[in-house]
């Protein structure tokens, strides 16, 4: 019985609280939250235990919300606590940044170094993919095959899942798409099938053979024994657990349940293209001690990346993937050109042609939506308030408008009178209003760059610094 | 009877309700270890830390107000609290015919298997059923549904690989009318809830269904993997924003996971859980039963201490394979 007179039902309370926490979570990074905690702390010296403990409460919430296992969080915080208390507050950082720094460092250590695939021994070397139903094994098998082929391997795949309807067909279609042979024989039991497949692959001159096994629960003993039989018959060089990045607290038991009977050599974290924080990776890494080797980042055949602990740590902490963003930017910008351009910009010589070039660079970095996802949550609310696809469409329209101008017009936008604007609007399939809007934006930017040139970077609004 | 099947499925992988908590209760008073153990159990069931903390705050308040001193009393209240929070009962099965049901969800959540099981359910109640394979993206997804269709003796409408799923739904809806089908079940591609264009595609699928059969889709069910963590809330939010989701299917509930995020979704978004899926057979889909679900949430799966790899638990042997 609930006590009388409570104004809110339990359900309403829960709903209200969770909504609040969700909204709060969405607009605040952990650093910002900790800044709140440390607001009154301006001293230098060592961090005080009481301050650290308050901060650890916030960190605990963040980690649990990121689906890191309860016990793992507990152990982990103990380490961070000790580290934090031993550390002097550095001059350049505030205490919040410092604690997040320690946390980030510990996460990276826990997540472990990236480890390459161990491709040694007699060919063909077998890679066995295992995991729960729906964790992404078949898709990952094809992506991995493509990746390995890109690294000079001759790859075969074996469809070792006779259970799920059409699982073998799925692998065959994927194999056809990427030009990798697929072995399947519905008459054979999975261990025999794998053996026969490896033999065929060997005859076919394969250097690597990927075994796509059926999905199963780690609690299903007969099915786990089947995996052990496959392993014993094949002697794979790698036994990789494919695990869904969105997995919750059970990640620990799942990883343990595969590790114990099979002896995993690594893990692949799939479906990292959603917005899951991926805290499950920490739990699985801690309990198995085996490295995470790849992450799956989309449905495209090339959406498989080697694992980078720095990026995942930032993501778990809600700090975005700034490193990834930087790399993308680096890969897409012509630095010399950018440098020359920057010099001209700061002298106030920003033309619509420069604008067009910047838009083109931005689009070379990939879909805007993907870029926005790499920003930290709460980075001016960037990835929440801006819809990547809408922004992308806007970008294309803006490009079209500038491209509909003559080069004279691009260099001297003052030429644009009503009649020219009408021509541009109809040429680019937009309206005169949109052309005017673009010009307003352009003028704003030109003013900004000019200011920046005079005062140095401080003239820029914070977000652009 | 359904609840029984469900409970039996759970019994294979879990100890009785309050397994581990019951041992906490051994201590007579409400120590801080008791509350921490409670929090741990709730968090590990994927309810989320915020809901766990709210529940515990409420329980502490209740224990003060009512002068409770024993753990077992608190657990009773917890059970009541959880059940009350799940007051949102599943929507009654719609009466109209033809009835159009669309399954949505992220990749690998269990949509296709659930589609087959729902088809089986409607067949068992004497309805004429049709399946539509609107997953034209994933390799061999149509083939997978066709195999289920063969087993069920149900016609499956498919489209070319890579073709417009809206067209498949259009054809299926037309065929539904032409062949006097009672229930049309549409299996869609798995899609990440963060993909704007794919969510728009889902809206189109629903619109197309509604153009051919007014009022359709009558049910849009979000299929959620029971092992999903707190991201399940973001999924449910995004799918609900895009289309009119009427309920949730918590799939794979016989895994070691307890599906607590289903509870969170129910509490936060008010989305009822329509069905739960478990096991391997076509029958392994039950109408939602709050009592069984709450029991499952609090049940302890075989306890495995960290850093140790004990012998397999004989109680967990799965008898059906």
């Amino acid at each position: 019985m609930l006590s009388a007179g409570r104004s809110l039902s339990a359900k309403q309370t829960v709903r209200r609280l969770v909504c609040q926490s969700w909204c709060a979570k969405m607009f605040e990074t952990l650093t910002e939250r900790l800044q709140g905690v440390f607001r009154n702390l301006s001293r230098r010296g060592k961090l005080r235990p009481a301050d650290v403990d308050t901060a650890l409460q916030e960190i605990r919430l963040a980690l649990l919300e990121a689906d890191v296992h309860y016990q793992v969080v507990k152990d982990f915080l103990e380490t961070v606590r000790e580290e934090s208390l031993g550390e002097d507050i550095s001059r350049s950082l505030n205490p919040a940044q410092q604690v997040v720094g320690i946390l980030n460092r510990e996460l990276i250590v826990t997540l472990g170094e990236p480890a390459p695939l161990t491709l040694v021994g007699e060919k063909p070397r077998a890679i066995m993919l295992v995991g729960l139903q729906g964790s992404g094994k078949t898709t990952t098998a094809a992506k991995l095959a493509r990746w390995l082929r890109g690294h000079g391997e001759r790859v075969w795949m074996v469809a070792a899942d006779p259970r799920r309807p059409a699982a073998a067909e799925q692998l065959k279609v994927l194999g056809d798409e990427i030009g990798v042979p697929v072995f399947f024989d519905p008459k054979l039991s999975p261990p025999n099938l794998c053996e026969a497949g490896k033999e065929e692959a060997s005859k076919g001159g394969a250097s690597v053979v990927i075994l796509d096994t059926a999905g199963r629960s780690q609690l299903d003993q007969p099915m786990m024994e089947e995996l052990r039989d496959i392993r014993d018959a094949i002697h794979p060089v790698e036994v990789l657990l494919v695990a869904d990045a969105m997995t919750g607290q059970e990640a620990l038991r799942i990883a343990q349940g595969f590790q114990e009977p099979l002896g995993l050599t690594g893990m692949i974290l799939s479906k990292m293209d959603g917005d899951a924080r991926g805290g499950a990776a920490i739990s699985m890494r801690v309990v198995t001690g085996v490295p995470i080797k790849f992450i799956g980042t989309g449905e495209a055949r090339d959406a498989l990346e080697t694992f980078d602990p720095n990026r995942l740590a930032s993501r778990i902490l809600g700090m975005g993937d700034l490193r990834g963003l930087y790399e993308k930017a680096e890969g897409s910008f012509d630095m010399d050109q950018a440098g020359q351009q920057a010099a001209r910009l700061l002298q106030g010589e920003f033309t619509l042609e420069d604008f067009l070039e910047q838009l083109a660079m931005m689009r070379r970095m990939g879909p805007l939506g993907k870029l926005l996802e790499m920003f930290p949550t709460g980075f001016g609310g960037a990835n929440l308030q801006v819809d990547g696809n809408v922004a992308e469409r806007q970008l294309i329209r803006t490009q079209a408008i500038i491209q509909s101008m003559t080069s004279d017009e691009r260099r001297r936008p003052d030429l644009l009178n009503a009649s020219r604007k009408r021509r541009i609007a109809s040429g680019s399939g937009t309206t005169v209003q949109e052309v005017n809007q673009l010009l307003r934006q352009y003028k704003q930017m030109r003013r900004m760059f000019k200011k920046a040139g005079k005062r140095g970077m401080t003239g820029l609004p914070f977000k652009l610094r | 009877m359904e609840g029984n099947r469900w409970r039996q499925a759970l019994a294979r992988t879990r100890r009785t309700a309050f397994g581990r908590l019951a041992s906490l209760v051994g201590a007579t008073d409400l120590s801080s270890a008791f509350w921490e153990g409670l929090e741990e159990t709730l968090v590990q069931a994927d309810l989320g830390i915020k809901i766990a903390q709210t529940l515990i705050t409420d329980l502490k308040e209740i224990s003060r107000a009512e002068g409770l001193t024993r753990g077992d009393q608190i657990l009773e209240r917890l059970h009541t609290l959880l059940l009350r929070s799940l007051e949102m009962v599943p929507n009654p099965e719609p009466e109209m015919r033809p009835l159009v049901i669309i399954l949505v969800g992220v990749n690998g959540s269990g949509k296709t298997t659930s589609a087959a099981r729902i088809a089986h359910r409607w067949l068992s109640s004497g309805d004429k059923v049709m399946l539509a394979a609107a997953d034209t993206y994933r390799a061999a997804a149509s083939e997978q549904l066709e195999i289920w269709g063969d087993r069920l003796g149900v016609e499956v409408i498919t489209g070319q690989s890579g073709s417009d799923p809206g067209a498949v739904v259009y054809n299926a809806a037309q065929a539904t009318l032409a062949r006097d089908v009672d229930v049309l079940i549409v299996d869609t591609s798995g899609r990440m809830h963060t993909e704007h264009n794919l969510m728009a595609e889902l809206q189109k699928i629903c619109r197309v269904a509604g153009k051919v059969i007014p009022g359709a889709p009558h049910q849009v069910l979000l299929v959620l993997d029971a092992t999903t963590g707190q991201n399940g809330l973001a999924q449910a939010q995004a799918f609900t924003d895009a289309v009119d989701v009427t309920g949730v299917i918590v799939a794979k509930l016989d895994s070691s996971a307890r599906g607590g995020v289903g509870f969170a979704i129910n509490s936060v978004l008010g989305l009822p859980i329509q069905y739960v899926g478990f096991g391997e057979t076509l029958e392994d889909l039950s109408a939602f039963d709050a009592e069984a679900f709450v029991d499952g949430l609090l049940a302890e799966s075989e306890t495995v201490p960290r850093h140790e790899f004990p012998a397999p638990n004989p109680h967990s042997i799965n008898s059906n394979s």
Side-chain angles (χ1 to χ4, degrees):
Chain A
M1 291 289 118
L2 290 161
S3 51
R6 287 157 57 87
S7 51
L8 288 171
S9 75
K11 184 173 163 184
Q12 282 168 321
T13 317
V14 166
R15 187 174 303 176
R16 196 193 56 210
L17 267 164
V18 173
C19 281
Q20 279 171 359
S21 82
W22 261 72
C23 296
K25 188 177 104 188
M26 287 190 166
F27 294 107
E28 261 188 321
T29 63
L30 185 58
T31 315
E32 282 166 344
R33 276 206 245 175
L34 292 181
Q35 238 135 25
V37 172
F38 286 122
R39 193 162 290 141
N40 302 319
L41 192 82
S42 54
R43 303 166 286 99
R44 301 249 177 253
K46 284 192 194 307
L47 288 167
R48 279 190 325 189
D51 303 325
V52 172
D53 285 340
T54 321
L56 289 181
Q57 279 307 310
E58 289 294 324
I59 295 170
R60 179 170 176 271
L61 289 184
L63 291 176
L64 288 173
E65 276 165 4
D67 288 321
V68 184
H69 189 266
Y70 192 88
Q71 283 298 330
V72 174
V73 170
K74 211 171 158 181
D75 292 357
F76 190 75
L77 289 184
E78 198 45 51
T79 320
V80 174
R81 184 168 192 274
E82 280 165 23
E83 291 278 320
S84 305
L85 290 176
E87 195 128 327
D88 284 330
I89 297 177
S90 108
R91 267 173 197 286
S92 53
L93 297 173
N94 66 36
Q97 287 169 328
Q98 192 145 3
V99 172
V100 170
I102 293 167
L103 183 63
N104 192 41
R105 199 172 67 211
E106 286 304 318
L107 274 179
I108 291 166
V109 170
T110 308
L111 286 169
E113 289 294 306
L117 288 173
T118 324
L119 296 177
V120 291
E122 202 182 320
K123 289 179 184 174
R125 294 132 184 178
I127 297 176
M128 191 170 160
L129 300 184
V130 301
L132 299 184
Q133 290 98 335
S135 62
K137 287 175 297 303
T138 305
T139 308
T140 302
K143 290 190 207 171
L144 190 59
R146 193 180 174 282
W147 188 88
L148 282 163
R149 215 194 34 194
H151 285 73
E153 301 288 343
R154 288 182 309 280
V155 188
W156 276 53
M157 297 193 284
V158 177
D161 180 1
R163 264 160 234 271
R164 178 163 63 88
E169 283 77 357
Q170 185 183 351
L171 196 66
K172 278 183 193 159
V173 172
L174 294 175
D176 278 352
E177 256 175 49
I178 57 172
V180 166
V182 175
F183 180 85
F184 179 62
D185 185 345
K187 295 185 293 293
L188 297 176
S189 73
N192 294 338
L193 174 70
C194 289
E195 240 176 330
K198 192 181 172 189
E199 219 174 283
E200 276 301 303
S202 178
K203 282 184 206 153
S207 61
V208 175
V209 52
I210 298 173
L211 311 176
D212 178 28
T213 67
R216 65 202 73 211
S217 162
Q218 82 282 7
L219 298 180
D220 190 331
Q221 293 298 329
M223 287 289 279
M224 292 308 286
E225 266 160 42
E226 179 192 280
L227 283 183
R228 221 166 6 199
D229 291 343
I230 295 175
R231 184 200 61 186
D232 293 345
I234 300 297
H235 305 294
V237 292
E238 293 273 3
V239 182
L240 302 176
L241 175 69
V242 181
D244 188 328
M246 298 179 282
T247 311
Q249 294 280 318
E250 278 306 302
L252 184 134
R253 277 175 211 271
I254 293 164
Q256 194 176 40
F258 279 92
Q259 160 74 355
E260 184 257 313
L262 291 174
L264 300 172
T265 61
M267 293 181 285
I268 299 179
L269 207 56
S270 65
K271 308 183 206 171
M272 279 293 278
D273 50 326
D275 55 1
R277 288 283 175 81
I282 298 191
S283 315
M284 297 194 293
R285 164 80 188 159
V286 166
V287 75
T288 61
V290 301
I292 300 162
K293 300 210 167 178
F294 291 95
I295 59 170
T297 55
E299 290 191 86
R301 306 291 166 251
D302 59 352
L304 186 77
E305 295 172 13
T306 48
F307 171 68
D308 177 350
N310 294 295
R311 286 187 192 178
L312 188 57
S314 300
R315 179 156 170 172
I316 290 168
L317 294 178
M319 303 201 304
D321 184 4
L322 287 177
R323 174 185 291 253
L325 190 64
Y326 177 73
E327 279 174 13
K328 265 197 192 297
E330 224 180 14
S332 315
F333 284 93
D334 178 333
M335 283 303 183
D336 283 348
Q337 194 191 357
Q340 283 169 14
Q341 203 184 25
R344 279 193 300 115
L345 294 188
L346 295 176
Q347 287 163 19
E349 289 176 29
F350 179 59
T351 67
L352 279 167
E353 268 174 345
D354 295 323
F355 194 10
L356 190 63
E357 181 50 38
Q358 287 190 334
L359 293 178
M361 278 187 183
M362 211 146 142
R363 294 201 59 211
R364 277 203 295 274
M365 286 167 69
L368 263 188
K370 284 249 191 281
L371 290 182
L372 288 170
E373 278 163 25
M374 298 170 102
F375 279 101
T377 5
F379 187 81
N383 47 354
L384 294 156
Q385 285 158 9
V386 184
D387 184 318
N389 292 282
V390 173
E392 183 91 33
R393 274 199 294 278
Q394 189 56 48
L395 208 67
I396 294 170
R397 291 176 86 83
T398 307
Q399 270 186 321
I401 294 175
I402 302 181
Q403 279 161 348
S404 299
M405 296 176 185
T406 65
S407 46
D408 266 358
E409 287 166 345
R410 289 182 208 175
R411 255 171 267 140
R412 296 164 54 206
D414 296 337
L415 286 177
L416 293 174
N417 57 25
S419 141
R420 284 178 188 251
K421 282 178 188 169
R422 270 200 303 279
R423 190 203 78 236
I424 291 163
S426 74
S428 57
T430 57
T431 61
V432 174
Q433 281 87 351
E434 281 175 276
V435 176
N436 281 331
Q437 202 188 343
L438 166 75
L439 289 172
R440 267 199 306 277
Q441 276 176 1
Y442 157 74
K443 280 173 188 159
Q444 258 175 13
M445 283 176 79
R446 192 176 54 181
R447 260 201 308 277
M448 241 163 48
F449 284 126
K450 220 169 179 171
K451 244 195 212 162
K454 281 183 187 144
R455 293 193 216 151
M457 290 301 267
T458 46
L460 283 176
F462 177 72
K463 276 186 216 166
L464 291 174
R465 258 184 248 166
Chain B
M1 205 180 83
E2 278 189 329
N4 269 342
R5 251 193 101 75
W6 178 359
R7 277 168 208 271
Q8 277 165 13
L10 293 193
R12 277 190 271 123
T13 53
R14 287 173 209 171
R15 300 206 183 127
T16 48
F18 298 129
R20 196 174 137 285
L21 280 176
S23 64
L24 284 172
V25 173
T28 44
D29 56 338
L30 304 177
S31 60
S32 59
F34 171 81
W35 293 112
E36 197 192 327
L38 194 56
E39 186 190 68
E40 181 172 355
T41 302
L42 297 173
V43 167
Q44 286 191 6
D46 286 321
L47 284 171
I49 179 67
K50 289 287 175 191
I51 289 183
Q53 286 181 339
T54 310
L55 285 168
I56 286 175
T57 309
D58 285 356
L59 286 169
K60 281 184 174 168
E61 196 180 303
I62 291 168
S63 76
R64 250 195 314 277
E66 298 180 22
L68 306 181
T69 52
R70 295 202 324 270
D72 56 345
Q73 294 170 318
I74 296 294
L75 295 187
E76 252 179 63
R77 298 298 189 281
L78 171 62
H79 203 273
T80 318
L81 267 185
L82 288 172
L83 271 181
R84 280 189 151 218
S85 305
L86 282 170
E87 72 206 10
M88 183 77 66
V89 289
N91 294 320
E93 298 294 0
E95 304 259 313
M96 73 284 286
R97 299 290 180 272
L99 174 65
V100 179
I101 303 170
I102 297 184
L103 298 185
V104 301
V106 299
N107 313 63
S109 59
K111 285 174 295 303
T112 307
T113 307
S114 296
R117 289 175 178 181
I118 291 173
H120 177 78
R121 262 183 97 82
W122 287 106
L123 278 176
S124 312
S125 58
D127 284 286
K128 184 173 177 192
V129 177
M130 179 180 275
L131 285 162
D135 183 354
T136 53
Y137 183 83
R138 180 165 65 86
S142 304
E143 285 83 341
Q144 187 178 348
L145 199 65
E146 278 179 317
I147 292 173
W148 281 117
D150 278 352
R151 291 185 196 169
L152 289 159
V154 161
E155 187 180 354
V156 182
I157 304 292
T158 61
Q160 286 287 313
S161 171
S163 67
D164 175 16
V168 177
V169 173
Y170 182 85
N171 291 340
Q174 291 285 7
T176 296
L177 294 178
R179 281 163 239 180
D180 227 4
V181 167
D182 296 313
V183 181
L184 170 66
I185 300 157
V186 180
D187 179 28
T188 64
S189 307
R191 66 200 72 223
M192 281 295 159
H193 52 289
T194 48
E195 293 285 342
H196 179 275
N197 292 340
L198 294 180
M199 297 307 273
E201 180 189 274
L202 210 52
Q203 292 171 331
K204 181 181 170 189
I205 287 174
C206 291
R207 268 199 314 274
V208 168
K211 262 191 192 146
V212 184
I213 301 172
H218 310 93
Q219 267 191 341
V220 178
L221 298 174
L222 171 68
V223 184
L224 185 82
D225 188 323
T227 59
T228 309
Q230 296 309 296
N231 189 249
L233 272 168
Q235 290 173 27
Q237 180 73 65
F239 278 100
T240 311
D241 285 349
V243 293
D244 241 333
V245 178
T246 59
V248 174
I249 301 178
V250 180
K252 311 181 212 173
L253 199 59
D254 56 332
S255 68
S256 57
R258 272 147 288 182
V261 74
F263 178 93
I265 289 170
N266 183 288
S267 307
V268 178
L269 301 171
L271 266 186
I273 303 174
Q274 194 83 22
Y275 301 113
V276 298
F278 48 87
E280 307 271 328
T281 71
L282 279 167
E283 284 81 27
D284 290 335
L285 182 85
S286 284
F288 181 70
D289 170 351
E291 192 93 32
F293 188 73
V294 168
D295 284 350
L297 273 182
L298 300 173
E300 189 64 13
S301 44
E302 41 170 350
T303 314
V304 190
R306 230 150 52 71
H307 303 310
E308 284 173 34
F309 307 124
N313 183 339
H315 300 295
S316 67
I317 288 178
N318 192 337
S319 55
N320 60 21
S321 43

